[in-house]
Amino acid sequence: SYADYYTELSIRSIAVNNVEDAQEAFTRIKSGVDFSEAYDLFNNSEINPDGKDEKVIYKGDLEYELSADLDIVKGDLSEPIEYKNGYYLIMIDDVKENDESSIRNICKKDYELTMKNKIFVQEYSKWEEMAQIKTNDQLWNNINIDNIVKAY
């Protein structure tokens, strides 16, 4: 349903390279280790540089991204989820269900943004066709290190 899709989730995440580290981080958090501490110990910052920071995402977008149906409860920590470059643990810090009026406004803004992007792409394509960008081959071919050094 739209209400379920547009449920706002405040999440934090930990990304690791292998399932063993993901399971170890999961076990430590479940046994009482603070999420931020587990993040510092286990997170691979190359694939998840800002997972410690809370991020707001729609439940439907998260499920689509992960290709999974999620049973979301505030305060829950997901089991390790395999995704792209490794495994993720997702902490659900808050859940906000939007009412019908809010969902209509969200959908309206999403539609407007989609249409603006579509129009921009069409206009940009026209600009590209009209633009006649040429290089000055004579100037370009005369650039060399000796000329640059003499100028300074």
Side-chain angles (χ1 to χ4, degrees):
S1 76
Y2 284 108
D4 192 47
Y5 185 97
Y6 286 105
T7 297
E8 291 180 20
L9 307 175
S10 296
I11 65 170
R12 292 176 290 159
S13 60
I14 295 173
V16 297
N17 294 327
N18 58 63
V19 70
E20 294 82 12
D21 286 345
Q23 194 59 53
E24 177 66 20
F26 177 82
T27 301
R28 287 194 187 188
I29 295 168
K30 284 295 193 179
S31 68
V33 171
D34 183 68
F35 184 89
S36 295
E37 185 179 330
Y39 177 92
D40 292 339
L41 288 170
F42 291 98
N43 186 66
N44 179 335
S45 60
E46 290 180 16
I47 50 179
N48 190 33
D50 57 358
K52 192 180 208 177
D53 300 328
E54 198 169 78
K55 172 183 177 181
V56 176
I57 187 169
Y58 295 122
K59 180 181 182 219
D61 290 341
L62 182 62
E63 289 178 331
Y64 177 79
E65 187 70 26
L66 298 175
S67 299
D69 288 328
L70 302 172
D71 186 20
I72 305 292
V73 177
K74 181 179 177 176
D76 268 1
L77 175 68
S78 73
E79 294 277 342
I81 300 169
E82 186 173 7
Y83 179 71
K84 290 184 181 177
N85 304 355
Y87 291 82
Y88 282 74
L89 298 174
I90 298 173
M91 172 64 79
I92 309 298
D93 290 321
D94 198 15
V95 177
K96 178 187 170 206
E97 294 183 11
N98 286 303
D99 61 19
E100 187 175 336
S101 175
S102 296
I103 293 170
R104 286 182 193 275
N105 286 333
I106 292 165
C107 290
K108 180 181 175 187
K109 287 178 184 175
D110 283 351
Y111 179 74
E112 288 173 352
L113 181 60
T114 299
M115 294 310 296
K116 285 177 181 178
N117 285 338
K118 183 177 179 180
I119 291 168
F120 174 79
V121 168
Q122 290 170 348
E123 288 298 309
Y124 185 81
S125 294
K126 290 177 192 176
W127 298 337
E128 271 188 320
E129 289 175 15
M130 293 183 332
Q132 295 183 6
I133 301 170
K134 298 178 183 177
T135 58
N136 182 334
D137 289 332
Q138 182 180 1
L139 176 63
W140 183 255
N141 292 332
N142 284 323
I143 296 174
N144 65 50
I145 192 71
D146 293 331
N147 292 340
I148 295 171
V149 171
K150 288 177 188 175
Y152 292 98

